[in-house]
Amino acid sequence: MTYEAVIGLEIHVQLNAATKLFCDCPNRPGDAPNRNVCPVCLWLPGSLPRLSQEALEKAVLACLALNCTIQNESAFDQKVYYYPDLPKGYQLSQHHKPLARNGWVDIVGADGGLKRLRIHHIHLEEDVAKLVHETEGRTPISLVDFNRAGTPLIEIVSEPDMRTPHDAMEYVKALRAQLRYTGSAECSLEQGTLRVDANISLRPAGTEGLNTKVEVKNMNSIHNVGDAIAYEIVRQTECLEKGEPIVLHTRLWDPERRVTAPMRAKFEGPCVPDPSVAPIVVTDAWLEGIRGRLPEMPARKSARFMETYGLTPDEAAAMSAERDLSEFFESVVAQDLPPRKTAGWIVSQLIPALRDRNQGIGQTHLTTERFAGLLDTLEKEIINTQSAREILVQLLDSPAALEEIIQNGGFRQLSATGDLETLVDGVLADHAADVADYRNGNPKVLGFLMGQAMKASQGKANPKVLKALLAERLG
């Protein structure tokens, strides 16, 4: 029998509001453990939560970016369960009346076609504390860091519209790009500010029923999301083929062993309305004010880049994938530089260099003016492409002026015909046999001689002038 996977994702996103959701403690990941705590986020008896206006506005902005309908009234519930990271015994979440419903994101499916994936709802909730498992001597111990307790989250619950690991990975990418554009969240899987849980079930291909699902956690990269889902589909298929029932439970992805392993039985505690936090009532005027803060989103920006700058679909998608990168691109192009060449340099040189450093543009010494200056000197043939690559590395690492880097590094291109004629004559004299081979009809030799001439110039020769001189000399 052929099976079809049914996949839904539940994604927790930590909002980058300045404070926690219900108190004034800093919302600052990375601080020393248990530094940012107070009676409210320690959940001490008698403390009263007070909803953060900033967190609410960022949550609504994120919901609008994901095409959701904001509910006129939403409210918090107590999601009741006990765990060492939740000693008060319940989590404030929005189970019965979520903040927003009925959103969607578009992805490009594996077949290249556009595919719309629906979002069931988005709700606000407080995060729980963080458990840290260590050893003291030979004794395993578990510690609790309450810095994370009470930080503002939105949980984005998809409809089970995904069928493949590809769908799931593209959904996470699209959702992350949309949220980063709003400035509401950092959305880092590696740092835990975006956490993905996948619900996976199988059904006979061509049927519509929903069967028992298995939840998979602990995926800290987009590739891990795809790999964990692919593994789970194979595991469940093998179970069904052996006649073993699929049991509702939670599993953990082990990225080193590349398997999922049982974690615990799936537990759904009761959710009861919370009496301490007032319902959120949204007025049309307030909502329009938040909607007015939405930036131009990636899909619309990509279409504008194609129309305004003549970029190809792939180039436009790359230039609009991240908000800071798109703004960098437009600032450079505004300095009278060719858009497609600028996009090409950003994709082929700048992005890989930033990835190697694990940095964003803002963490380097590169500005739009310095990058535009580099491309301008390349356009004017003051330097050649190889030199430009080396200069770009220095512009990222050093505050030195572009002209100073060119001068000190000896990067200025050799374009004077007289100098290059002497260089070409020397190369041809040193490779007489290759010259004869070329003249006997082997055109590939021209590339070899070109390489030798560039080497003789220490990579500084103007390739166009050099090639013309070689062709002239070889006849």
Side-chain angles (χ1 to χ4, degrees):
M1 180 182 292
T2 303
Y3 293 101
E4 175 184 64
V6 179
I7 304 162
L9 298 185
E10 297 174 0
I11 299 181
H12 287 88
V13 175
Q14 183 174 323
L15 301 172
N16 57 9
T19 68
K20 296 185 180 181
L21 187 56
F22 295 116
C23 65
D24 293 331
C25 288
N27 172 28
R28 209 161 46 211
D31 277 3
N34 294 315
R35 175 179 175 182
N36 304 321
V37 296
C38 74
V40 174
C41 57
L42 285 175
W43 303 309
L44 298 183
S47 57
L48 274 178
R50 187 180 69 255
L51 181 64
S52 159
Q53 180 74 15
E54 183 194 9
L56 174 61
E57 291 179 3
K58 287 189 177 243
V60 171
L61 200 59
C63 294
L64 292 174
L66 299 177
N67 307 295
C68 289
T69 301
I70 306 299
Q71 302 302 286
N72 292 333
E73 180 176 315
S74 58
F76 285 90
D77 302 291
Q78 297 180 0
K79 185 178 178 182
V80 180
Y81 69 98
Y82 178 79
Y83 203 65
D85 58 11
L86 186 63
K88 75 173 171 181
Y90 65 85
Q91 178 187 23
L92 284 174
S93 182
Q94 295 181 312
H95 180 76
H96 296 105
K97 291 185 173 181
L99 183 65
R101 298 180 186 272
N102 303 325
W104 49 266
V105 295
D106 287 333
I107 66 164
V108 176
D111 61 358
L114 198 64
K115 186 172 184 178
R116 177 157 295 182
L117 301 174
R118 296 169 299 157
I119 293 170
H120 182 271
H121 74 267
I122 300 177
H123 63 259
L124 259 171
E125 66 183 21
E126 61 179 345
D127 207 347
V128 297
K130 182 179 181 181
L131 290 178
V132 181
H133 303 289
E134 297 182 348
T135 56
E136 196 170 72
R138 294 183 178 181
T139 306
I141 59 172
S142 294
L143 306 172
V144 185
D145 180 4
F146 281 88
N147 278 356
R148 200 177 71 175
T151 55
L153 299 177
I154 52 172
E155 182 172 352
I156 304 163
V157 181
S158 80
E159 296 283 3
D161 290 347
M162 290 159 258
R163 298 289 173 267
T164 66
H166 172 90
D167 287 352
M169 290 192 292
E170 291 303 308
Y171 173 78
V172 176
K173 287 180 191 174
L175 186 142
R176 182 178 63 179
Q178 301 276 96
L179 295 180
R180 282 180 172 171
Y181 257 69
T182 67
S184 296
E186 310 306 325
C187 293
S188 168
L189 276 150
E190 293 77 10
Q191 296 176 10
T193 54
L194 186 150
R195 306 195 290 270
V196 179
D197 299 337
N199 292 299
I200 305 149
S201 65
L202 297 185
R203 66 187 177 193
T207 63
E208 295 296 325
L210 294 176
N211 295 324
T212 303
K213 63 188 179 183
V214 172
E215 181 184 52
V216 178
K217 292 178 175 288
N218 195 41
M219 299 164 285
N220 63 358
S221 73
I222 288 178
H223 282 300
N224 277 345
V225 171
D227 291 345
I229 292 173
Y231 176 86
E232 189 57 23
I233 291 172
V234 171
R235 190 192 70 81
Q236 291 189 29
T237 300
E238 291 174 351
C239 286
L240 293 172
E241 288 175 345
K242 289 187 286 188
E244 298 175 359
I246 303 298
V247 179
L248 180 67
H249 70 295
T250 299
R251 301 177 73 87
L252 281 183
W253 170 245
D254 184 335
E256 293 185 0
R257 296 171 55 216
R258 304 182 66 74
V259 300
T260 64
M263 177 187 177
R264 65 187 181 209
K266 184 78 175 171
F267 172 74
E268 294 286 353
C271 290
V272 298
D274 177 79
S276 61
V277 183
I280 299 170
V281 178
V282 173
T283 65
D284 291 343
W286 182 84
L287 184 57
E288 285 311 304
I290 300 294
R291 196 186 302 278
R293 289 161 46 184
L294 269 182
E296 182 184 33
M297 300 306 286
R300 183 171 295 179
K301 183 171 284 189
S302 178
R304 180 169 64 79
F305 281 1
M306 286 190 284
E307 182 180 347
T308 305
Y309 301 120
L311 301 186
T312 66
D314 285 346
E315 290 167 346
M319 288 303 96
S320 58
E322 297 286 348
R323 185 175 175 179
D324 60 346
L325 188 69
S326 69
E327 292 171 350
F328 185 89
F329 165 74
E330 287 211 278
S331 294
V332 173
V333 170
Q335 297 176 54
D336 203 24
L337 285 161
R340 290 201 64 195
K341 187 165 188 175
T342 301
W345 261 81
I346 289 175
V347 169
S348 65
Q349 304 299 326
L350 178 56
I351 291 178
L354 292 171
R355 192 181 300 128
D356 288 345
R357 288 166 170 71
N358 194 25
Q359 289 180 318
I361 295 174
Q363 297 170 298
T364 72
H365 291 283
L366 191 67
T367 63
T368 54
E369 290 76 16
R370 284 156 65 83
F371 191 67
L374 174 68
L375 296 189
D376 186 52
T377 55
L378 184 60
E379 281 289 293
K380 292 175 178 172
E381 299 186 354
I382 297 171
I383 57 174
N384 61 29
T385 302
Q386 179 56 39
S387 294
R389 294 191 186 108
E390 296 179 34
I391 294 169
L392 174 60
V393 173
Q394 297 194 37
L395 289 173
L396 289 167
D397 295 335
S398 164
L402 174 61
E403 181 58 33
E404 182 184 344
I405 293 173
I406 293 173
Q407 190 65 33
N408 292 343
F411 290 117
R412 198 170 296 278
Q413 187 164 248
L414 296 176
S415 296
T417 304
D419 294 337
L420 292 181
E421 281 178 338
T422 303
L423 186 148
V424 166
D425 289 343
V427 168
L428 296 183
D430 291 343
H431 298 84
D434 297 299
V435 172
D437 191 17
Y438 176 82
R439 286 174 173 157
N440 286 329
N442 184 358
K444 294 181 180 178
V445 176
L446 180 60
F448 168 74
L449 294 172
M450 184 76 182
Q452 293 302 308
M454 285 298 292
K455 185 177 178 181
S457 74
Q458 298 180 323
K460 299 174 185 174
N462 183 319
K464 290 181 184 175
V465 178
L466 195 62
K467 189 172 183 179
L469 285 173
L470 269 173
E472 180 185 321
R473 287 289 197 275
L474 289 168

